[in-house]
Amino acid sequence: QVQVLESGGGLVQAGESLTLSCTISGLTFKENEMAWFRQSPGKEREGVSCISRIGITRYTADSVKGRFFASRDNAKNTGYLLMNSLKPEDTAMYFCATTKISRSCGRDEYDYWGQGTQVTVSS
């Protein structure tokens, strides 16, 4: 059974940094791509960043470029999302997802999802 578990969310002030973690079990982590998505109330879930099996960034949303950086440690079956210079508009539930192969990092391409971790940025 595949399990995806995000952690690290919380309440921070604008300008601060936060690192999210995503631990995936039940599959061969290094053989799967992974991605981060986020969703705010009333909005669709949007892609934040997706990285390849070896940690190469394949996509980063324009709204977070230069501030958010995804990475992974295959030895620990864990992915990370480093978020710098956080803004109030970054407030959302952040989700981690994984799949064998993603052609375009699209939301519909990911098979397994976590429950999400809430990030709230105050102004």
Side-chain angles (χ1 to χ4, degrees):
Q1 182 180 356
V2 178
Q3 291 189 325
V4 180
L5 183 63
E6 304 97 336
S7 62
L11 173 63
V12 297
Q13 292 189 334
E16 293 185 339
S17 298
L18 204 59
T19 298
L20 305 182
S21 298
C22 173
T23 300
I24 301 174
S25 60
L27 49 71
T28 305
F29 181 73
K30 64 181 181 180
E31 294 180 357
N32 286 265
E33 299 187 358
M34 63 171 296
W36 290 93
F37 294 81
R38 67 184 183 184
Q39 187 168 21
S40 304
K43 293 186 178 180
E44 289 192 1
R45 192 170 298 188
E46 62 174 355
V48 175
S49 184
C50 76
I51 56 175
S52 71
R53 299 169 184 173
I54 59 173
I56 295 173
T57 298
R58 297 182 56 215
Y59 168 80
T60 302
D62 288 341
S63 58
V64 305
K65 272 182 182 175
R67 299 190 298 122
F68 289 16
F69 303 93
S71 62
R72 62 190 292 167
D73 184 340
N74 286 344
K76 295 182 178 179
N77 290 358
T78 300
Y80 305 95
L81 183 67
L82 169 61
M83 305 184 294
N84 295 322
S85 302
L86 281 160
K87 304 175 181 179
E89 51 263 45
D90 294 320
T91 295
M93 183 72 78
Y94 283 74
F95 298 88
C96 174
T98 187
T99 189
K100 200 76 170 177
I101 298 175
S102 167
R103 291 189 180 86
S104 61
C105 301
R107 181 181 59 198
D108 294 340
E109 297 183 88
Y110 287 83
D111 299 315
Y112 303 103
W113 292 77
Q115 294 298 308
T117 185
Q118 178 67 38
V119 173
T120 302
V121 185
S122 63
S123 56

